[in-house]
Amino acid sequence: MHGNIETPIFVPVGTQGTVKAVDPNQLKAMGAQVILANTYHLHLRPGEDLIKKFGGLAKFMSWDGPTMTDSGGFQVFSLGIAMEHGVGKLLREEEGEVKPRLNKITEEGVYFQSHIDGSKQFLSPETSIEIQEKLGADLIVAFDDLESPKHSYEETKQSLELTEKWLLRSKKAHKNSSQLLYGVTHGGIYEDLRVASAKFNDEHFEAIALGGAHKNKQNMHEIVEWTINNISEEKPRHMLGIGEVDDLFELIERGIDTFDCVIPTRIGRTGFFFISPPFGNSKNRFRTDIDKPQFVKDQKPLDENCSCYTCQNFTRGYLHHLFRSRELLSYSLLSLHNVHFLVNLTKQIRESILNDNFQQMKKDWLV
């Protein structure tokens, strides 16, 4: 392990060995503790064998803190049933475009075409663990099958049964005791399946990652409660792919230790930035758009309550100009602010818990 982790904490996503537009020194300065990278993408390019020759993921990306890798299971979903159903993990009113799937799932594993060069690839519990062990991350995740939020009860149950077989094979394949292996809970929107999955993972794994699809935010909160109530208190709990501002409060309150999400850099590249109350609120999802004409002459920082490098040195007017001019610096400065915002918010929440005033802080934010 490359250091201790104080929880709760937001984990920035560095899909291909980099948090997009934010460098490691900036991440360290803002207090980021862990970076999560993607097994599927690093396997395709540049390859786990090359990264191993560089001394592992942390050295490869010049990060001296802990690292985490997912299993590639989300790509099983995004290249498969998600394309067929036109959905994401969360079922939304407006569905996406329905497309032919790019993979084939068997009990043995998943066959798919590379999105880079069209080459045929195969990912299984054994290969996923082998890749992650070569990448050398401190925290790794067992291989899983992510269900669709449109799945029926029976389809969800079948997916969960496959996941449980894959989880046990992942555990058997895991040889590096210096890496903490997370099991993954599934079961879709169904309480009995979620409870069964939680108990299964609690029996077989020392750390638990919560995965799978949910119907809406309320259902996601229910799923967390069903799961947390059926796993041991001392085991680390990670929420995969969740990271809106309101999520941080709701999930931490329900017992989640760590969570990762691409949202801060993704919205930063499209001109959106996080903003704290009173301007930021649940209705605007604590964000606004630097491209708005109202920011042309604005000499205030993005967020007057933020201590990040961007807010301490640049005005909204300047960032508006950069973004309108499509200058690369705008993407970097907005992304840096957004990652810092979530990292710092979780730090403040951690302090509020220690000071026994979490509920007041939550009330101040989620009015």
Side-chain angles (χ1 to χ4, degrees):
M1 175 68 76
H2 289 85
N4 297 320
I5 302 172
E6 294 183 318
T7 63
I9 191 63
F10 173 76
V11 177
V13 175
T15 301
Q16 304 202 57
T18 173
V19 178
K20 286 181 170 48
V22 185
D23 73 46
N25 283 334
Q26 293 170 324
L27 291 167
K28 183 63 67 176
M30 70 176 66
Q33 298 183 58
V34 186
I35 295 177
L36 181 142
N38 185 279
T39 293
Y40 165 85
H41 286 285
L42 292 178
H43 170 61
L44 294 184
R45 183 174 55 193
E48 63 275 9
D49 290 323
L50 177 64
I51 292 176
K52 184 178 181 180
K53 289 180 180 179
F54 276 82
L57 180 62
K59 286 187 177 180
F60 187 60
M61 60 190 294
S62 193
W63 171 253
D64 63 359
T67 55
M68 183 175 189
T69 47
D70 61 10
S71 68
F74 183 76
Q75 280 66 43
V76 175
F77 169 77
S78 62
L79 295 174
I81 196 66
M83 298 180 71
E84 282 189 348
H85 286 181
V87 296
K89 289 174 61 174
L90 174 64
L91 187 61
R92 300 185 184 277
E93 292 182 7
E94 295 183 6
E95 297 179 3
E97 181 183 355
V98 175
K99 301 177 181 178
R101 68 187 304 143
L102 296 178
N103 64 21
K104 179 182 179 181
I105 299 177
T106 68
E107 186 166 320
E108 183 185 4
V110 183
Y111 297 86
F112 60 94
Q113 280 187 306
S114 165
H115 71 284
I116 298 172
D117 59 11
S119 61
K120 293 182 179 180
Q121 302 286 334
F122 176 70
L123 202 57
S124 70
E126 291 78 15
T127 58
S128 173
I129 295 300
E130 181 184 5
I131 293 166
Q132 292 184 79
E133 290 189 340
K134 288 182 177 179
L135 291 174
D138 301 289
L139 312 173
I140 66 175
V141 179
F143 194 58
D144 58 331
D145 178 45
L146 201 163
E147 69 279 357
S148 168
K150 284 188 171 183
H151 270 166
S152 66
Y153 179 89
E154 192 57 39
E155 288 171 322
T156 305
K157 184 179 179 181
Q158 291 174 2
S159 175
L160 178 58
E161 289 171 351
L162 179 60
T163 282
E164 291 182 347
K165 292 177 182 177
W166 285 358
L167 293 180
L168 292 178
R169 286 167 56 189
S170 296
K171 182 180 179 180
K172 184 177 181 180
H174 180 224
K175 306 300 182 186
N176 188 343
S177 61
S178 68
Q179 295 177 302
L180 179 61
L181 176 64
Y182 282 71
V184 190
T185 61
H186 282 278
I189 65 175
Y190 304 103
E191 182 176 4
D192 63 326
L193 297 182
R194 284 288 180 174
V195 170
S197 180
K199 291 180 177 179
F200 175 90
N201 277 272
D202 192 49
E203 177 184 354
H204 294 286
F205 294 91
E206 297 304 312
I208 312 296
L210 284 71
H214 48 272
K215 183 166 53 177
N216 49 40
K217 292 257 187 178
Q218 181 180 353
N219 179 234
M220 179 177 70
H221 300 160
E222 292 172 340
I223 287 168
V224 172
E225 291 172 359
W226 298 336
T227 304
I228 296 300
N229 289 339
N230 288 282
I231 59 176
S232 305
E233 289 186 6
E234 72 276 5
K235 294 185 178 181
R237 302 96 172 257
H238 181 87
M239 191 82 181
L240 290 161
I242 301 295
E244 294 273 9
V245 170
D246 59 321
D247 294 335
L248 270 59
F249 286 96
E250 299 293 352
L251 299 182
I252 290 171
E253 183 176 19
R254 288 168 170 82
I256 298 299
D257 298 307
T258 56
F259 26 83
D260 69 273
C261 194
V262 298
I263 281 178
T265 53
R266 178 172 289 173
I267 68 171
R269 299 194 302 278
T270 60
F272 283 85
F273 62 93
F274 285 127
I275 188 167
S276 61
F279 303 105
N281 53 62
S282 296
K283 290 183 179 179
N284 62 21
R285 299 168 72 187
F286 298 93
R287 64 177 74 169
T288 190
D289 186 358
I290 195 64
D291 201 29
K292 290 181 177 179
Q294 70 195 58
F295 293 130
V296 172
K297 298 179 181 180
D298 196 331
Q299 297 186 36
K300 294 190 292 292
L302 293 177
D303 184 351
E304 294 182 272
N305 297 315
C306 183
S307 61
C308 78
Y309 172 76
T310 302
C311 289
Q312 295 304 303
N313 291 279
F314 304 99
T315 64
R316 294 173 176 174
Y318 177 65
L319 290 161
H320 173 88
H321 157 68
L322 291 182
F323 189 76
R324 278 287 179 96
S325 303
R326 298 297 181 259
E327 286 289 343
L328 298 181
L329 183 59
S330 67
Y331 312 136
S332 177
L333 293 177
L334 290 167
S335 296
L336 187 157
H337 164 76
N338 288 341
V339 176
H340 179 280
F341 190 95
L342 295 188
V343 168
N344 187 60
L345 179 56
T346 52
K347 180 181 178 181
Q348 291 179 42
I349 292 175
R350 182 166 67 249
E351 291 172 350
S352 77
I353 294 171
L354 294 173
N355 295 327
D356 199 27
N357 63 349
F358 169 80
Q359 291 300 331
Q360 183 59 52
M361 183 181 177
K362 180 184 176 185
K363 183 179 179 181
D364 292 341
W365 276 73
L366 305 185
V367 291

